[in-house]
Amino acid sequence: MIHFNSETRTFNLLLRSSYYAFQVDADGRLIHLGWGPRPQDASGEDQISGKPVFEPYNIPWSFITQFRPDEVLTFGEITSFYPTLKVSFPGLPVPLKEGESPHLPLRDLRLRYAGYEIVTGAKPGLAPAHGLPVRELSPRETLRVRLQDPLQSLYVTLCYRLDPEHDIIERWCELENAGQQPVSFDICCFASLHLPNGTNELTSVSGTWAREFTPQRQRLSQGVQMMESRNLQTGHNSNPFFMLNRPGQAWEESGVVYFGALAYSGAWQIALEQLPTLDIRLHAGYHPFDFQLDLAPGERHVTPALVIGVSLQGWGGASRRLHDFVRRHVLPCPPQDAQWRPVLYNSWEATYFNLSFENQVELARKAASIGVELFCVDDGWFGARRSDTAGLGDWVVSPDVFPGGLELLVDEVHRLGMQFGLWVEPEMVNPDSDLYRLHPDWVLHFPGRPRTTARNQLILDFGRTEVVEHIFSLLDALVERYSIAFFKWDMNRLATEPGSVAGKAIWRRHVEGVYRIMDRLRQQHPGLDIQTCSGGGGRIDLGMFGRTDQAWVSDNTDAFDRVRIQEGFSLAYPACCMEAWVTHEKNHITQRVTPLNLRFDVAMRGALGIGSSLNELSQAELAEYASFIQFYKMIRPVVQAGELYRLERLEEFDASVIEYVLPDGSEAVYSEVLRDHQVGVFRPAALLKGLQSRLVYMVLDRSNTEVYRATGYELMVQGIPPAMLDYPGYSRTLYLRAVQ
Ligand code: GLA
């Protein structure tokens, strides 16, 4: 519900258990009043009336503008702290008085209230344009508050789209140059937030290739701390989401936690700023390094969204709100879509670049026999791509690999009852490729300067519309010709020498180009699914999930490492889009040997995939794989649609115990993995959540054997008896079903 009190000029946004409020002050500025939980007994009538809460009794008056909690902080009036917007105007709005000098460019933006409207159907910038529905279709209210610079003809509209059920607000801003001269934005955040004083404990993730999504918790100190990507993609080093709470006031399942995530897949920045007053501000949006956003007279720009929310159930509650929001409002949901993510087989680790029709057919037959539903051929099927030194950019099936054409394999995969998928890396080109020989100017570079290759490849210039068009046509033709149901869309390098026909705007234009191709492909082929991958988990965010169905979280499939990576991923993103493979006994990256049940127990926590070399497995081993996959299909609806509880996180006992439970509490999955165990240290039994106290639950293992039976009450009060065999690598997955 959105309320406006015209007497006090106060806006109250009321969500299920939280509120967000701001007020128009006497000068027409928007002043933030508060954001946080509402008392449990509050009704729609209970609102903030706009009594002054900003009492700067301890701040010398001369500093006041710098500390005032404006909803949108603009450079000019504010210089000491980080702004939401910093704008350069090349010209003066008024004629100079005699003797005055121009001091151009003018870098002062004032925004004053010009009106509001409440609409449904408003969308942030770069919202998916594929036309596919999302699961939850009911319209969402958006408050649009229009602000205007009193001197320059620049309008800024702050947008707040409400999802009351999840206590989530999507925030973005619309910029409109109604003047006669161009306007440049030096800093452009999608939104700034003001958090309650002292909310300075940050939960986030960091990492690198093969170590993505490492959870971390730290205290902010005075000043600005950056989370960022200076890349054309979201990046491995950090992921654009955060959770903030007052230290010692929030835990996994209790306490107030503020959270947020960006719906953008390029160079981004989240600046976390602790003021000397201990007030916390957060500014999230485009990364301002090498940034360019110019609006010509009459032009508009709508920023993507920053999704924010409040949880009253700790970090776990924040994750569950985000997961459900992603499942219902973000992920595309084609009408004919299967309800669950299919069990996938990917041939990368089995054959690498040594693809042949014969080895792929053999893999496909074995994959089908163990219950795989989607067969994906990875890198190496096209052009001269017999290694990573050549062929990228030439998206034509290689006759050396498939002398009879790819159709023969596709037909066989379909005959076996599976869908067919292909790996692509559309933004890239090897210098040793037909595409590059034909169009050497189609890559990012600065003329006359060296072009740095990484993994022997260069990046196509998506600032050129003809390049975007060319890539779309090739992919479109592939889907059409080979009935492709799935693309694993990869992007394997970071940018260097970012020279483009689009100038510095390339950082945004690249993302727009990728989104445009994906959206068009999905529009033309509603049956096509896409997996986002960027050298593992380098491009995962809410912008990507608007047009992809799942993510490749890391190239590291070692169950010991993966369980931590997945815990980090689970902070923000749901299990249904977390592709997780079972691979070889001896891991190809870490060389660690792990038992099959551990590999399955970890991979079954997400959308299950298989990457092992099936052609080298015995019949007995294949049968074991089949029995795990059969079990997974039984628990899949709970894993992929259930609510996640992290009953025990790795930080304490190096054990991860999680539970997925259906919202009605009728079914649950209990998954326990020990990364390490010290003899003589006893772990407490993990207490289950979300069950119904009065119901009796059967607890089944993989062979469908009932290993335990208890009431929901007992399971939530006493837990499942801990395993008697605690050792590093111990794991089990149990399925709980209510019987009465
Ligand atoms: C990247 C991906 C891998 C694989 C290779 C193929 O590294 O993350 O899964 O697809 O590319 O070259």
Side-chain angles (χ1 to χ4, degrees), residues 348 378-379 423 455 488 490 492 533 535-536 552 555:
W348 175 239
D378 210 279
D379 199 352
W423 176 95
R455 207 194 185 201
K488 173 177 172 183
D490 210 339
N492 274 313
C533 171
W552 183 226
D555 281 347

PDB file of all heavy atoms in Angstrom, residues 348 378-379 423 455 488 490 492 533 535-536 552 555, ligand 1:
ATOM      1  N   TRP A 348      31.590 -31.609 -21.086  1.00  0.00           N
ATOM      2  CA  TRP A 348      32.873 -30.895 -21.037  1.00  0.00           C
ATOM      3  C   TRP A 348      33.971 -31.711 -20.366  1.00  0.00           C
ATOM      4  O   TRP A 348      35.011 -31.994 -20.938  1.00  0.00           O
ATOM      5  CB  TRP A 348      32.677 -29.541 -20.343  1.00  0.00           C
ATOM      6  CG  TRP A 348      33.946 -28.761 -20.126  1.00  0.00           C
ATOM      7  CD1 TRP A 348      34.454 -28.341 -18.940  1.00  0.00           C
ATOM      8  CD2 TRP A 348      34.860 -28.302 -21.137  1.00  0.00           C
ATOM      9  NE1 TRP A 348      35.621 -27.642 -19.135  1.00  0.00           N
ATOM     10  CE2 TRP A 348      35.901 -27.606 -20.480  1.00  0.00           C
ATOM     11  CE3 TRP A 348      34.902 -28.413 -22.534  1.00  0.00           C
ATOM     12  CZ2 TRP A 348      36.968 -27.027 -21.155  1.00  0.00           C
ATOM     13  CZ3 TRP A 348      35.979 -27.828 -23.207  1.00  0.00           C
ATOM     14  CH2 TRP A 348      36.983 -27.146 -22.519  1.00  0.00           C
ATOM     15  N   ASP A 378      29.298 -29.416 -24.905  1.00  0.00           N
ATOM     16  CA  ASP A 378      30.027 -28.206 -24.486  1.00  0.00           C
ATOM     17  C   ASP A 378      30.935 -27.718 -25.611  1.00  0.00           C
ATOM     18  O   ASP A 378      30.731 -28.037 -26.795  1.00  0.00           O
ATOM     19  CB  ASP A 378      30.796 -28.499 -23.183  1.00  0.00           C
ATOM     20  CG  ASP A 378      30.963 -27.268 -22.308  1.00  0.00           C
ATOM     21  OD1 ASP A 378      31.865 -26.475 -22.589  1.00  0.00           O
ATOM     22  OD2 ASP A 378      30.174 -27.088 -21.358  1.00  0.00           O
ATOM     23  N   ASP A 379      31.927 -26.974 -25.266  1.00  0.00           N
ATOM     24  CA  ASP A 379      32.857 -26.322 -26.199  1.00  0.00           C
ATOM     25  C   ASP A 379      33.450 -27.319 -27.203  1.00  0.00           C
ATOM     26  O   ASP A 379      33.673 -28.477 -26.871  1.00  0.00           O
ATOM     27  CB  ASP A 379      33.991 -25.716 -25.349  1.00  0.00           C
ATOM     28  CG  ASP A 379      34.758 -24.660 -26.083  1.00  0.00           C
ATOM     29  OD1 ASP A 379      34.536 -24.493 -27.285  1.00  0.00           O
ATOM     30  OD2 ASP A 379      35.589 -23.992 -25.432  1.00  0.00           O
ATOM     31  N   TRP A 423      26.761 -25.501 -25.958  1.00  0.00           N
ATOM     32  CA  TRP A 423      27.570 -24.440 -25.349  1.00  0.00           C
ATOM     33  C   TRP A 423      27.854 -23.368 -26.399  1.00  0.00           C
ATOM     34  O   TRP A 423      28.175 -23.691 -27.542  1.00  0.00           O
ATOM     35  CB  TRP A 423      28.884 -25.049 -24.862  1.00  0.00           C
ATOM     36  CG  TRP A 423      29.888 -24.092 -24.282  1.00  0.00           C
ATOM     37  CD1 TRP A 423      30.056 -23.797 -22.972  1.00  0.00           C
ATOM     38  CD2 TRP A 423      30.900 -23.351 -24.981  1.00  0.00           C
ATOM     39  NE1 TRP A 423      31.092 -22.916 -22.804  1.00  0.00           N
ATOM     40  CE2 TRP A 423      31.630 -22.616 -24.033  1.00  0.00           C
ATOM     41  CE3 TRP A 423      31.245 -23.221 -26.329  1.00  0.00           C
ATOM     42  CZ2 TRP A 423      32.697 -21.778 -24.370  1.00  0.00           C
ATOM     43  CZ3 TRP A 423      32.299 -22.377 -26.670  1.00  0.00           C
ATOM     44  CH2 TRP A 423      33.011 -21.666 -25.686  1.00  0.00           C
ATOM     45  N   ARG A 455      42.923 -16.146 -22.749  1.00  0.00           N
ATOM     46  CA  ARG A 455      42.510 -17.462 -23.264  1.00  0.00           C
ATOM     47  C   ARG A 455      42.455 -17.416 -24.802  1.00  0.00           C
ATOM     48  O   ARG A 455      41.519 -17.919 -25.412  1.00  0.00           O
ATOM     49  CB  ARG A 455      41.162 -17.893 -22.694  1.00  0.00           C
ATOM     50  CG  ARG A 455      41.010 -19.413 -22.638  1.00  0.00           C
ATOM     51  CD  ARG A 455      39.580 -19.876 -22.396  1.00  0.00           C
ATOM     52  NE  ARG A 455      39.531 -21.316 -22.234  1.00  0.00           N
ATOM     53  CZ  ARG A 455      38.445 -22.052 -22.401  1.00  0.00           C
ATOM     54  NH1 ARG A 455      37.306 -21.492 -22.717  1.00  0.00           N
ATOM     55  NH2 ARG A 455      38.485 -23.331 -22.234  1.00  0.00           N
ATOM     56  N   LYS A 488      24.125 -23.136 -23.079  1.00  0.00           N
ATOM     57  CA  LYS A 488      24.993 -22.740 -21.972  1.00  0.00           C
ATOM     58  C   LYS A 488      25.777 -21.548 -22.517  1.00  0.00           C
ATOM     59  O   LYS A 488      26.641 -21.712 -23.388  1.00  0.00           O
ATOM     60  CB  LYS A 488      25.935 -23.885 -21.596  1.00  0.00           C
ATOM     61  CG  LYS A 488      26.984 -23.503 -20.566  1.00  0.00           C
ATOM     62  CD  LYS A 488      27.835 -24.715 -20.194  1.00  0.00           C
ATOM     63  CE  LYS A 488      29.007 -24.317 -19.321  1.00  0.00           C
ATOM     64  NZ  LYS A 488      29.867 -25.467 -19.013  1.00  0.00           N
ATOM     65  N   ASP A 490      28.365 -18.787 -22.305  1.00  0.00           N
ATOM     66  CA  ASP A 490      29.590 -18.571 -21.540  1.00  0.00           C
ATOM     67  C   ASP A 490      30.219 -17.219 -21.879  1.00  0.00           C
ATOM     68  O   ASP A 490      29.884 -16.596 -22.900  1.00  0.00           O
ATOM     69  CB  ASP A 490      30.575 -19.710 -21.883  1.00  0.00           C
ATOM     70  CG  ASP A 490      31.515 -20.044 -20.740  1.00  0.00           C
ATOM     71  OD1 ASP A 490      31.707 -19.189 -19.857  1.00  0.00           O
ATOM     72  OD2 ASP A 490      32.063 -21.160 -20.735  1.00  0.00           O
ATOM     73  N   ASN A 492      34.289 -15.946 -21.239  1.00  0.00           N
ATOM     74  CA  ASN A 492      35.473 -16.428 -20.544  1.00  0.00           C
ATOM     75  C   ASN A 492      36.629 -15.460 -20.377  1.00  0.00           C
ATOM     76  O   ASN A 492      37.762 -15.903 -20.183  1.00  0.00           O
ATOM     77  CB  ASN A 492      35.985 -17.690 -21.243  1.00  0.00           C
ATOM     78  CG  ASN A 492      35.275 -18.917 -20.724  1.00  0.00           C
ATOM     79  OD1 ASN A 492      35.142 -19.087 -19.522  1.00  0.00           O
ATOM     80  ND2 ASN A 492      34.796 -19.752 -21.610  1.00  0.00           N
ATOM     81  N   CYS A 533      26.749 -18.441 -17.656  1.00  0.00           N
ATOM     82  CA  CYS A 533      28.051 -18.954 -17.226  1.00  0.00           C
ATOM     83  C   CYS A 533      29.069 -17.906 -17.628  1.00  0.00           C
ATOM     84  O   CYS A 533      28.928 -17.262 -18.666  1.00  0.00           O
ATOM     85  CB  CYS A 533      28.326 -20.275 -17.954  1.00  0.00           C
ATOM     86  SG  CYS A 533      29.988 -20.926 -17.747  1.00  0.00           S
ATOM     87  N   GLY A 535      33.067 -18.276 -17.207  1.00  0.00           N
ATOM     88  CA  GLY A 535      34.213 -18.942 -16.588  1.00  0.00           C
ATOM     89  C   GLY A 535      33.801 -19.467 -15.217  1.00  0.00           C
ATOM     90  O   GLY A 535      34.473 -19.228 -14.220  1.00  0.00           O
ATOM     91  N   GLY A 536      32.670 -20.143 -15.143  1.00  0.00           N
ATOM     92  CA  GLY A 536      32.050 -20.500 -13.862  1.00  0.00           C
ATOM     93  C   GLY A 536      31.023 -19.446 -13.507  1.00  0.00           C
ATOM     94  O   GLY A 536      30.221 -19.023 -14.342  1.00  0.00           O
ATOM     95  N   TRP A 552      25.616 -21.451 -13.969  1.00  0.00           N
ATOM     96  CA  TRP A 552      26.752 -22.317 -13.679  1.00  0.00           C
ATOM     97  C   TRP A 552      27.554 -21.585 -12.614  1.00  0.00           C
ATOM     98  O   TRP A 552      28.123 -20.529 -12.868  1.00  0.00           O
ATOM     99  CB  TRP A 552      27.560 -22.570 -14.945  1.00  0.00           C
ATOM    100  CG  TRP A 552      28.711 -23.506 -14.758  1.00  0.00           C
ATOM    101  CD1 TRP A 552      29.985 -23.328 -15.209  1.00  0.00           C
ATOM    102  CD2 TRP A 552      28.690 -24.773 -14.097  1.00  0.00           C
ATOM    103  NE1 TRP A 552      30.762 -24.409 -14.845  1.00  0.00           N
ATOM    104  CE2 TRP A 552      29.987 -25.308 -14.160  1.00  0.00           C
ATOM    105  CE3 TRP A 552      27.694 -25.507 -13.428  1.00  0.00           C
ATOM    106  CZ2 TRP A 552      30.322 -26.539 -13.592  1.00  0.00           C
ATOM    107  CZ3 TRP A 552      28.030 -26.728 -12.863  1.00  0.00           C
ATOM    108  CH2 TRP A 552      29.330 -27.234 -12.953  1.00  0.00           C
ATOM    109  N   ASP A 555      33.347 -23.429 -11.938  1.00  0.00           N
ATOM    110  CA  ASP A 555      33.974 -24.572 -12.612  1.00  0.00           C
ATOM    111  C   ASP A 555      34.475 -25.583 -11.593  1.00  0.00           C
ATOM    112  O   ASP A 555      34.795 -26.716 -11.941  1.00  0.00           O
ATOM    113  CB  ASP A 555      35.167 -24.093 -13.460  1.00  0.00           C
ATOM    114  CG  ASP A 555      34.707 -23.478 -14.770  1.00  0.00           C
ATOM    115  OD1 ASP A 555      33.525 -23.638 -15.121  1.00  0.00           O
ATOM    116  OD2 ASP A 555      35.522 -22.825 -15.442  1.00  0.00           O
TER     117      ASP A 555
HETATM  118  C1  GLA B   1      34.388 -22.231 -19.260  1.00  0.00           C
HETATM  119  C2  GLA B   1      33.213 -22.868 -18.551  1.00  0.00           C
HETATM  120  C3  GLA B   1      33.388 -24.365 -18.546  1.00  0.00           C
HETATM  121  C4  GLA B   1      33.507 -24.868 -19.971  1.00  0.00           C
HETATM  122  C5  GLA B   1      34.648 -24.169 -20.685  1.00  0.00           C
HETATM  123  C6  GLA B   1      34.662 -24.520 -22.145  1.00  0.00           C
HETATM  124  O1  GLA B   1      35.548 -22.384 -18.533  1.00  0.00           O
HETATM  125  O2  GLA B   1      33.077 -22.360 -17.268  1.00  0.00           O
HETATM  126  O3  GLA B   1      32.299 -24.990 -17.893  1.00  0.00           O
HETATM  127  O4  GLA B   1      32.289 -24.666 -20.630  1.00  0.00           O
HETATM  128  O5  GLA B   1      34.540 -22.758 -20.569  1.00  0.00           O
HETATM  129  O6  GLA B   1      35.698 -23.923 -22.830  1.00  0.00           O
END
